[in-house]
Amino acid sequence: MRVSSALLDWLVFQNVAGQFILQHQNYTMMSYLPFASVAAHMLMASPSNPYIHYPHKQHEVLQSTQRTQTVIDVLMNEMPPQTRNFVTRTSLVTEVLPLVVETLTPTLRPVNVQLYSAKEKQLLSDLVDIMISYNLSYQQERTIEGSYEYVMQPNVDLVVRFPSLPQRRQLTYSAKQLVSREVEMERMRRSEKILYKHSSSATESTSLSDHKSVDDDKPINLEASSTSDSILLDPSKTRKRKAAVDFFTRLSGNNPKKKRENSRASRGSHATRHPLWFRYNQGFSNAVRRPIRIQDLL
């Protein structure tokens, strides 16, 4: 502190001497100006090279701002149109994301989804719907210690939470795994529904166009149409359906009921001809014994 005070005194002396020379045009005082430089050198000189710490806070703030802008860009670009239509960048950061982050941490029991109550299933469904609407998901990542954990992607905590604030409540590992699986399954269901809708509409349009082209090319026969209408209206002209016969005018065995009965009978006869024995000494065994003759192997 003493060295700094002495250096400031010499700098004040140089400023006062320079001002006096410029105001009074008395250049004899210029011989005293170099003394300030010599005094500064003697006060600030060091036998070792000093390590200068350059300011780096601005660079850290710039990197943090760039990361935040990247998260916002990813959210805005990959957000569904029905959600992005009502959200701006400013409203997303100041109004939407802080509340969305709080709604993404419900209380979920670490049990199977089939054991959830109706209220818990509705809560899980709403959570999945919110995450898909804002393009959020949980991805498994490996930490430095070698363990695995689920991290939200994109990481909206960088946008809505300051580093000095306490850590908010987090979901358990099993709950995050369950939510991640449900989000992926719901996305697959929605994509398949959209693809099925497009394919069905395209098929219907092609079939309608083909049917229309065939009807346009086919000539209309009024006599044939009137004859067919009279046949349909007159029950006496309708023909009875004949039973299917083979070449020797015998009824063919196309009856499905008889086929099922024949197959059951064949299975029963096979079981009687080749019986199976299950013999258990203790515990259980998956081995099956059956008698085999040498003539069956020849």
Side-chain angles (χ1 to χ4, degrees):
M1 193 68 183
R2 183 184 60 82
V3 176
S4 300
S5 178
L7 178 61
L8 292 175
D9 291 339
W10 278 105
L11 293 177
V12 170
F13 168 74
Q14 187 180 20
N15 290 334
V16 172
Q19 184 179 4
F20 179 80
I21 294 169
L22 295 176
Q23 287 180 353
H24 300 280
Q25 301 294 319
N26 188 358
Y27 296 102
T28 58
M29 296 292 296
M30 294 183 64
S31 59
Y32 297 99
L33 295 178
F35 288 101
S37 301
V38 175
H41 173 71
M42 297 301 296
L43 291 172
M44 303 300 296
S46 175
S48 60
N49 295 328
Y51 182 76
I52 302 175
H53 295 275
Y54 293 98
H56 56 277
K57 198 68 178 177
Q58 191 269 344
H59 182 65
E60 293 178 357
V61 173
L62 179 61
Q63 288 183 344
S64 177
T65 305
Q66 290 177 352
R67 287 195 296 267
T68 304
Q69 294 293 337
T70 302
V71 171
I72 298 173
D73 291 339
V74 171
L75 285 174
M76 293 297 295
N77 293 335
E78 299 184 5
M79 194 181 297
Q82 58 269 23
T83 305
R84 188 174 62 246
N85 191 24
F86 302 97
V87 176
T88 61
R89 296 176 66 91
T90 305
S91 63
L92 181 67
V93 176
T94 59
E95 300 177 6
V96 178
L97 286 182
L99 301 178
V100 168
V101 171
E102 294 298 330
T103 57
L104 295 181
T105 55
T107 303
L108 298 176
R109 293 185 298 164
V111 295
N112 194 352
V113 184
Q114 304 298 331
L115 302 178
Y116 279 179
S117 61
K119 184 178 180 181
E120 290 175 334
K121 289 182 179 180
Q122 183 63 33
L123 184 64
L124 180 61
S125 177
D126 295 340
L127 174 61
V128 171
D129 192 14
I130 291 173
M131 294 187 68
I132 293 177
S133 299
Y134 292 96
N135 190 33
L136 300 174
S137 62
Y138 285 108
Q139 292 184 1
Q140 191 179 37
E141 294 183 359
R142 186 173 182 178
T143 59
I144 302 176
E145 294 81 9
S147 60
Y148 291 91
E149 63 179 5
Y150 280 90
V151 181
M152 184 176 292
Q153 295 295 337
N155 193 1
V156 294
D157 287 339
L158 298 176
V159 182
V160 300
R161 188 178 65 84
F162 291 98
S164 58
L165 295 179
Q167 186 71 20
R168 62 180 179 86
R169 186 169 62 90
Q170 297 283 340
L171 293 176
T172 60
Y173 182 85
S174 58
K176 290 182 179 179
Q177 186 178 15
L178 172 63
V179 173
S180 175
R181 179 180 177 277
E182 292 296 327
V183 168
E184 295 297 330
M185 294 294 292
E186 184 63 23
R187 284 179 176 172
M188 291 176 60
R189 292 191 199 100
R190 293 187 181 184
S191 60
E192 288 178 357
K193 187 183 296 184
I194 294 173
L195 291 175
Y196 177 75
K197 184 177 179 181
H198 289 322
S199 62
S200 61
S201 60
T203 306
E204 290 177 359
S205 61
T206 50
S207 62
L208 288 175
S209 61
D210 295 342
H211 184 68
K212 185 176 180 181
S213 61
V214 169
D215 291 343
D216 293 339
D217 296 338
K218 184 178 179 180
I220 300 175
N221 191 352
L222 298 177
E223 296 179 357
S225 61
S226 60
T227 306
S228 60
D229 293 340
S230 62
I231 292 173
L232 292 176
L233 294 175
D234 190 0
S236 61
K237 295 182 179 180
T238 57
R239 296 181 179 179
K240 294 183 179 180
R241 186 176 180 182
K242 296 182 179 180
V245 296
D246 56 3
F247 179 75
F248 299 100
T249 66
R250 293 178 301 181
L251 295 177
S252 61
N254 292 330
N255 194 349
K257 186 175 180 180
K258 290 184 177 180
K259 286 186 176 181
R260 287 195 296 268
E261 292 176 356
N262 295 333
S263 62
R264 290 175 184 173
S266 63
R267 285 199 299 268
S269 61
H270 181 75
T272 55
R273 284 187 287 106
H274 302 284
L276 300 177
W277 287 275
F278 297 90
R279 183 177 180 181
Y280 302 104
N281 293 327
Q282 36 174 265
F284 66 95
S285 174
N286 293 327
V288 178
R289 294 184 178 182
R290 87 182 263 183
I292 300 177
R293 298 179 181 179
I294 298 298
Q295 63 182 2
D296 296 336
L297 301 176
L298 297 177

